[in-house]
Amino acid sequence: MRHHRLALAAAALCFQAGAPTRAEMSDRDAAVAALALLGVAALAHNRHHYREGYAPQGGDRMAEFERGYRDGVHGHAYTSRGSTVDYAEGYQAGDRERENSMAHRKNTTAASKAPPMANQGCARIVAQNFAVGTHQVHIIRARSPAKHEWQIEAAVGHSHMVCRMRDSGEVIEVRGGRL
């Protein structure tokens, strides 16, 4: 939430601070505006996409992370020419996010699909735990160890949790980690 407020404040300052009165903008002004918008996007980036022990330091490094993240999440080829450590970290995070968001397409057998109420209940509890929206929670896999009971693995960025749920969506247990 704090990052969203910072991003809104930065965006407000960008649009208030010296907006040109004419429709044309010099190359320098356009570059400054683009960097300001990249900075706002970097501030708003979800911290769950950073691996443990890594966080980009400074605007240029955050912009490189974002560039790599966008390439990875959209399935673009890795750009090795001129890449940096931050680009590589961002690409790995984006690629992981893409894998997580498409995991439900790989799990097509009936045994791997939990009832919708169980999936929704797990997504809600994981979203609350990581302080994100349920649309950022990806169900990775599910299995049924007992009748009317499911173990569901969910991911937010690089963080994973396992929910033990009833068919009705009732939470039995939640723990960090993978199935």
Side-chain angles (χ1 to χ4, degrees):
M1 189 66 173
R2 181 174 156 252
H3 291 290
H4 295 292
R5 280 191 228 130
L6 286 172
L8 288 174
L13 286 174
C14 289
F15 291 117
Q16 288 177 358
T21 55
R22 62 186 191 280
E24 294 178 22
M25 197 183 263
S26 72
D27 289 341
R28 184 180 175 282
D29 290 341
V32 168
L35 285 174
L37 289 175
L38 280 174
V40 169
L43 280 173
H45 199 281
N46 193 326
R47 72 183 181 283
H48 299 292
H49 292 143
Y50 302 141
R51 283 190 310 162
E52 190 109 0
Y54 168 80
Q57 303 296 317
D60 292 340
R61 295 182 73 182
M62 284 179 151
E64 278 296 296
F65 181 90
E66 288 297 321
R67 184 173 69 91
Y69 180 84
R70 279 191 313 274
D71 285 353
V73 83
H74 294 296
H76 297 300
Y78 182 86
T79 306
S80 60
R81 192 185 73 166
S83 71
T84 64
V85 171
D86 299 298
Y87 176 84
E89 287 285 340
Y91 189 87
Q92 288 174 351
D95 191 49
R96 172 64 63 119
E97 185 72 14
R98 181 177 164 79
E99 276 181 32
N100 289 345
S101 69
M102 295 175 54
H104 69 281
R105 293 181 184 160
K106 294 177 188 172
N107 297 333
T108 57
T109 63
S112 67
K113 289 189 175 182
M117 290 180 70
N119 282 334
Q120 292 166 3
C122 182
R124 273 194 301 273
I125 197 78
V126 170
Q128 287 174 348
N129 184 67
F130 290 116
V132 298
T134 55
H135 64 282
Q136 291 180 296
V137 177
H138 302 291
I139 304 299
I140 304 300
R141 64 182 62 90
R143 66 184 185 95
S144 180
K147 189 172 185 176
H148 303 294
E149 188 177 296
W150 290 86
Q151 286 184 325
I152 301 169
E153 180 182 341
V156 174
H158 285 283
S159 304
H160 293 257
M161 293 191 82
V162 176
C163 307
R164 220 170 89 213
M165 308 290 293
R166 297 210 190 283
D167 286 346
S168 62
E170 177 188 346
V171 179
I172 300 170
E173 175 189 25
V174 179
R175 66 175 172 81
R178 295 176 174 235
L179 261 179

